[in-house]
Amino acid sequence: MLNNKVVKGFSKLSKEAKIEWITNEYLSGDDQSIKLLKSYWHEDAKVQKVHDEFIENTITNFYIPFGVAPNFLINGQVYCIPMAIEESSVVAAAAKNASFWMKRGGFKSKVISTTKIGHVHFAWYGDFKVLKEFIESIKSKFFEETKELTKNMNSRGGGILDIKVLDRSDLEPNYYQLQGKFETCDAMGANFINSLLEKFSKILERELQASNLEEREKKIVIIMCILSNYTPECIVRCEVNCNVDELSDDPELDSNEFAKKFQQAIHVANIEPYRATTHNKGIFNGIDAVVIATGNDFRAVEACGHTYASKTGQYRSLSNVEIKNGKFKFWIDLPIAVGTVGGLTSLHPMVKFSHQLLGNPNAKKLMEIIAAAGLAQNFGALRSLVTTGIQKGHMKMHLLNILNQLGATKIEIKKIKDHFNDKVVEHSAVVNLFHELRKVNQENIITK
Ligand code: MEV
């Protein structure tokens, strides 16, 4: 049953009216909610307008912290990497592991390929050989008739790389694809590719109609035209390496033992999807944070990475390790489709700032930086997991969140932080200590 909270023409209401409607209908007209929403508006109305117009029905902004991880030595250049993320330990881990690898030669990142892919998905009724020959015969039209759309991209060195028809009737009777491969240079390329695919479908429909094929072969049902966010030909490889005996910077940690356990951890992530999922999630802690800070589509990058992790038919670790002749090599191959032009890159002031901070990289350089952030994050997580356990560092960073939730004062925060300096932070222990301190304080006030 629908309740009466249904609204028509909501998107046409002003921002104020939208907020009023929401608070009246869902929050019993609560003034505090209105104040809260408005307190997150940017003080500069022009900046706020930019944010309002990114999406429909904007009522306010949603903050997540924007931090930086300095000391990232990547291909001989030092970067201070911007990261937008809410999870307490991620930036700390990135910074710590960047410094660790800086002393060991830094990250070596290299883009291997940059090809993007898209498809016209369609149903057709005939012999695939006939279809293939037909598409070959009209192939030049796809290039010729999209010249207006590809002109700018061509001038930047990109454009349509290849078009071919694929027989997918093994998956579904009569299912075929017109597959396009594209180079989109510094753009992520979604709009470019989708516009081209839609044009391809029109050409295909028209040419089939006009052909002298049999009547049944002239019939085509275009199912959809869309780029694929799976980009296994848009790959960056990032590596760190050192002598095994340089791996430990802690006198209590034996480098050889650590290397062995690290290798076992990767092996477990390779054979066990339950572990692989968490392992790769840790990699995306680093990747997503940079992807968001640089105004790119983290959903696309994540989806792609997870499909790539399943390319053997089983979901596995995205990172790899090799220990050979006393050398430790740890690397990741990642498909990352990002842009440094278009989209939010020139609109969102903080995104612009991120690009400036990174020296306004082109898309390839940004891929290299993002991969390094992912690899550093994974190294840090595995290092903790196979040595101290993850909770030590994680909860240390989370301590302030717990204290803020409890409403601890500055003095209480200092006391509790000092107490946990040499101990593993546990939620209940923090809460108990906080209440103990409060009780003692109260008693002191009462007895005074
Ligand atoms: C937490 O956000 C990420 C980790 O769980 C990653 C991992 O287990 O490898 C620590």
Side-chain angles (χ1 to χ4, degrees), residues 255-376:
S255 284
N256 277 295
E257 251 172 56
F258 169 54
K260 226 192 247 163
K261 279 193 104 178
F262 192 95
Q263 194 171 34
Q264 282 169 339
I266 298 268
H267 183 60
V268 170
N270 263 323
I271 58 174
E272 168 54 273
Y274 276 98
R275 172 56 203 151
T277 307
T278 319
H279 176 96
N280 291 341
K281 185 273 183 187
I283 293 171
F284 280 103
N285 276 344
I287 291 177
D288 286 357
V290 190
V291 171
I292 294 171
T294 55
N296 278 288
D297 182 345
F298 68 95
R299 286 87 54 207
V301 173
E302 276 249 2
C304 180
H306 295 303
T307 310
Y308 193 68
S310 313
K311 66 182 189 299
T312 57
Q314 182 183 314
Y315 188 84
R316 296 178 195 279
S317 163
L318 283 164
S319 58
N320 310 279
V321 69
E322 184 186 86
I323 300 168
K324 211 162 133 187
N325 304 327
K327 296 256 178 222
F328 175 89
K329 181 172 133 181
F330 176 48
W331 77 99
I332 191 164
D333 285 348
L334 267 178
I336 306 181
V338 286
T340 52
V341 297
L344 284 195
T345 51
S346 58
L347 291 174
H348 196 301
M350 287 308 299
V351 168
K352 260 199 224 172
F353 171 83
S354 295
H355 284 264
Q356 272 168 6
L357 184 63
L358 292 172
N360 290 318
N362 61 19
K364 279 185 173 175
K365 247 200 183 142
L366 185 57
M367 287 167 74
E368 293 171 352
I369 294 166
I370 292 170
L375 194 67

